[in-house]
Amino acid sequence: MPYLTIDNFAAGLDTRKSALTSAPGTLQRLTNATVTPGGEIAKRRAFVQVADLTGTFGLAATESAVYAFTRNTVLAPPSFPIAGTSLVFQSIPYTPTTFAQTDFDTFNGKVYLAGQDSAQPAGSRIKHFYNGAATEGNEKGPYIRTYRTKMYGVQGNNLYFSAVGDPTLWNADPIVNVVSLSNANPCVVTVAAADIAKFVNGQLVTISGASATGMTPANGKHTISSAGSPANTFKLTGVDTSAASAPQTTGVTAVPASTARAGAGFINLSNQDSGGELLTSLEVYYDKLAVFSSVTTQLWAVDPDPLQNVLDQVLRSSGTIAPLSTQQYGSGDVLYLATSGIRSLRARDSSNAAAVSDIGSPIDGLIQDLYTTKGQSYFSLAKALLEPIVGRFWMVFPNEIYALSAFPGPKITAWSYYTVPFTVDQAVTCGGRVYLRGTDNQLYVYGGVDGKTYDNCGVEVRLPYLDMGKPGTNKIFSGLDATVFGTWTVKNSFDYNNPDAEETLGVFSAPTWRGGKAAFEGQSTHFSLRFYNNDANPALISNAAVHYGAADDRGN
């Protein structure tokens, strides 16, 4: 008697076609399980509470520490049970409870925090802190990224960047109004008492606006001396303005070049492309910086020297409204959440020029339904991360997670769906583990303290309606074999017009091959197997086979 064997589940969750026409090996549902590098289905691990974060907000991480933040108060963290990882409560010098984290990154091993105070007026909401201290990054963007010795931020239509090597300095060299420019050799510059501290001996200063007869030699860059002597003055070395008939007292400015501030500045990206009017996110793409708006992506070759920044490529219709959904993946590609689904910026050739790939197309319908049913505000809260060690990509929504298992060697690209037993506020990775902060102010770790903990999360695996390549032939089903570990309740549906109508075939906890096939009786043109697990133990499905014979032949 013939039988159909489903050797693996390498295609994972795939709803691009109907349940009647999907290929064997694809799944209509894969809930709370994932696909292994061998193409098997393995139950996901548990999300286990490990710390109470009451009195704090936000979540960040370095290589070995998980951070939560307090509002200008010192609070001792609870003991932390994860070996090799510490829990730190970092005090932020800002007290309003309306201030919330928008993003974080690390710079030189320390946490850089960006946040927004919703109670403040526009233009005063964004605050930045580095290692617990305020920076000049206020209003330089709620979303940030460390790259090539700088911190970058996006806000409005501007890409901001800090000074080289110092993420606390974001403001460019100050423009100082000159009180007077003397007609002397060397020329003496007088500034206000409040400004003289900005000038030091040996510094390069740029003078502009010297227009009186005999004063024009003062324009340009000059080294200064005698700063502060006499009070509020400095001299322009080698500049002779003695030919002028009188000092110039209006229209002159001086810009002191600060070595500490070298490299700070911004770029107006809407001047580069019309789609850059509302920037939402940024991520490193190979050796470029990908800057996203809601409708486009600009790829920039950025340099510590702002004069060397170059726009490399513009990709239209490839933006995101979920700022934390961008994630570098693999050798340099960037995955992100578009309203149409999860997409990837992928190198199209050896030049690393980017093209948009539809890596998320197997679940496009599910993502689009999520956007339609739960709305833009829910959708925009998505956060991307890479599960350490295995390297699965997670798109974390407040109440669910879509996980991508991609293993190029065995040709596996499989999506799956996780439910979460709490509402996710923040998500980070640290020390090879995934940590989620819930809106209940609790910290959860994936896999528990030992990394091997499971719970009764409710696993569902639903195959499409299969027809053995002959949809018009009625089959007589006689048995089922499967390679399983753990406890699975196996059910079947013959009625594709009523897909939730199903019958139980049995409960299996070991391979069936040597024990004789399990009973599976009935006649139909199609069948759809379903596997359910409802205990707190690990479980695995390797393959399945259905034994059948032809009841009649309708020309197929």
Side-chain angles (χ1 to χ4, degrees), residues 175-178 181 189 191 199 205-210 218-220 248 250-256:
I175 299 175
V176 175
N177 291 318
V178 170
L181 205 61
V189 181
V191 296
F199 300 88
V205 173
T206 301
I207 301 295
S208 301
N219 289 325
Q248 183 172 337
T250 60
V252 181
T253 59
V255 178

Side-chain angles (χ1 to χ4, degrees), residues 306-478:
L307 297 178
Q308 305 303 314
N309 292 338
V310 177
L311 175 62
D312 184 75
Q313 189 177 357
V314 176
L315 296 159
R316 294 185 174 85
S317 301
S318 62
T320 182
I321 61 170
L324 302 183
S325 73
T326 58
Q327 175 67 54
Q328 191 179 67
Y329 184 72
S331 59
D333 298 350
V334 174
L335 272 63
Y336 64 96
L337 181 64
T339 53
S340 58
I342 298 171
R343 298 292 179 260
S344 172
L345 296 181
R346 176 169 293 178
R348 64 189 181 199
D349 53 37
S350 59
S351 71
N352 289 338
V356 177
S357 165
D358 59 350
I359 191 169
S361 63
I363 57 169
D364 274 357
L366 301 174
I367 296 296
Q368 291 163 15
D369 286 347
L370 194 65
Y371 180 77
T372 301
T373 57
K374 295 196 174 181
Q376 181 173 321
S377 59
Y378 180 90
F379 202 77
S380 66
L381 294 175
K383 300 166 180 65
L385 60 81
L386 293 182
E387 180 190 350
I389 302 175
V390 179
R392 288 188 178 92
F393 171 84
W394 288 14
M395 188 64 74
V396 182
F397 293 92
N399 300 121
E400 55 235 307
I401 297 169
Y402 283 92
L404 172 64
S405 303
F407 307 106
K411 298 181 179 179
I412 291 171
T413 303
W415 287 97
S416 55
Y417 173 81
Y418 300 166
T419 60
V420 184
F422 53 90
T423 300
V424 179
D425 178 46
Q426 300 288 343
V428 301
T429 61
C430 178
R433 308 295 296 276
V434 175
Y435 295 89
L436 303 179
R437 179 180 181 131
T439 56
D440 57 359
N441 290 323
Q442 301 301 306
L443 181 65
Y444 300 85
V445 63
Y446 181 60
V449 174
D450 62 359
K452 302 175 183 179
T453 301
Y454 292 83
D455 63 353
N456 185 2
C457 55
V459 180
E460 179 180 4
V461 179
R462 178 178 290 194
L463 278 63
Y465 286 90
L466 302 178
D467 57 28
M468 294 73 163
K470 295 186 175 183
T473 300
N474 206 37
K475 293 94 178 172
I476 300 174
F477 295 91
S478 60

Side-chain angles (χ1 to χ4, degrees), residues 188 196 201 225-235:
V188 177
I196 190 60
N201 290 336
S225 62
S226 301
S229 180
N232 306 329
T233 67
F234 56 85
K235 295 177 180 177

Side-chain angles (χ1 to χ4, degrees), residues 57 71-72 93-100 116-120 127:
F57 70 97
R71 295 177 171 89
N72 207 30
Y94 193 71
T95 58
T97 58
T98 48
F99 178 76
Q116 178 170 281
D117 186 344
S118 59
Q120 295 298 312
K127 314 292 181 185

Side-chain angles (χ1 to χ4, degrees), residues 15-35:
T15 60
R16 285 175 290 190
K17 301 180 76 172
S18 73
L20 269 175
T21 57
S22 292
T26 64
L27 300 168
Q28 290 294 296
R29 294 184 187 173
L30 181 55
T31 301
N32 290 324
T34 190
V35 176

Side-chain angles (χ1 to χ4, degrees), residues 465-529:
Y465 286 90
L466 302 178
D467 57 28
M468 294 73 163
K470 295 186 175 183
T473 300
N474 206 37
K475 293 94 178 172
I476 300 174
F477 295 91
S478 60
L480 167 72
D481 277 308
T483 304
V484 299
F485 300 92
T487 301
W488 294 95
T489 299
V490 182
K491 300 184 179 185
N492 175 67
S493 171
F494 286 133
D495 188 357
Y496 47 75
N497 290 318
N498 187 15
D500 290 329
E502 52 191 24
E503 60 179 349
T504 299
L505 304 181
V507 178
F508 306 93
S509 56
T512 63
W513 306 95
R514 293 181 62 185
K517 59 182 180 288
F520 179 16
E521 298 178 352
Q523 292 189 32
S524 181
T525 57
H526 297 72
F527 75 97
S528 169
L529 292 179

